Amino acid sequence: IEKTAARDLAPRRPGKGIIEVRRPLADLEGSPIATLRFRTSYPIVESVRSSARATLRFMAGATLAVVLIAYIFLSGWVTRPLQRIQKALHAEDSTLLGALPKRHDELGRLATLMVDFFAQRERLVTEVSERSKAEQEIALQNEFIRQIIDTDPNPIYVADAALYLMYHNPEL
């Protein structure tokens, strides 16, 4: 037991292999009056400390390796397929997806939806094109019939079922 001084209450770093325990002792009013200090040396402490540092380094290295492996795995499993999907969308070409629609996960379902979308869009474009062509042909046929009716010297009247006059040729 030693008398307590300000320097005794400050934490100390013991040397290698030394274990030191300090406990302030107080009087009845709670004021520190002395410090109980126990100090002993154990050579094994340094080897335990060294072993703990080696274990910590190993764990940090293993953690880094696990993170790196996870990054590589996720890159191959998620990033590359997403890049393929992005290229296919920009090029508007489902063949750039390759075997991605055959995958049995969310990215495979997304790729399948894209293939279906591109096929539906192609059918829609074809249908709109055919419809536009048919409308042009009908317009040409109507113009041809109108020319025939307009140039016929006989009066021609076109009426609907209620006998409402829809068209007649100009009288020549």
Side-chain angles (χ1 to χ4, degrees):
I1 297 180
E2 302 174 341
K3 272 292 208 199
T4 301
R7 62 175 170 72
D8 290 334
L9 296 177
R12 287 188 181 173
R13 288 188 66 110
K16 294 182 178 182
I18 297 175
I19 296 177
E20 184 176 306
V21 177
R22 292 172 174 246
R23 170 116 177 148
L25 299 175
D27 62 6
L28 294 175
E29 296 167 359
S31 301
I33 58 171
T35 299
L36 177 63
R37 182 174 135 186
F38 176 75
R39 184 177 186 166
T40 186
S41 78
Y42 290 97
I44 190 95
V45 170
E46 188 56 35
S47 67
V48 169
R49 185 181 297 163
S50 167
S51 175
R53 285 185 186 137
T55 302
L56 182 62
R57 284 188 208 111
F58 172 76
M59 303 245 329
T63 301
L64 184 62
V66 166
V67 168
L68 184 63
I69 289 169
Y71 172 77
I72 290 169
F73 176 72
L74 287 176
S75 175
W77 188 62
V78 175
T79 304
R80 286 189 191 115
L82 286 176
Q83 288 172 344
R84 284 186 127 181
I85 289 171
Q86 182 182 14
K87 286 179 184 176
L89 284 172
H90 282 295
E92 296 182 5
D93 183 10
S94 63
T95 59
L96 296 176
L97 295 172
L100 200 55
K102 295 177 184 175
R103 285 178 55 160
H104 299 289
D105 60 3
E106 288 78 14
L107 294 172
R109 286 191 285 276
L110 178 61
T112 302
L113 287 172
M114 286 177 55
V115 169
D116 292 346
F117 167 75
F118 285 131
Q120 289 173 358
R121 190 185 66 175
E122 186 62 34
R123 287 193 300 269
L124 181 62
V125 167
T126 302
E127 184 179 323
V128 167
S129 173
E130 289 173 355
R131 174 175 259 168
S132 176
K133 186 177 177 183
E135 287 174 354
Q136 288 175 351
E137 289 177 7
I138 290 172
L140 287 173
Q141 289 175 357
N142 286 342
E143 182 61 30
F144 178 71
I145 291 172
R146 189 172 297 252
Q147 285 177 357
I148 291 174
I149 292 173
D150 287 348
T151 57
D152 190 342
N154 300 314
I156 298 176
Y157 299 97
V158 178
D160 63 6
L163 296 179
Y164 178 74
L165 183 63
M166 293 174 50
Y167 181 78
H168 67 88
N169 64 336
E171 295 180 26
L172 299 174

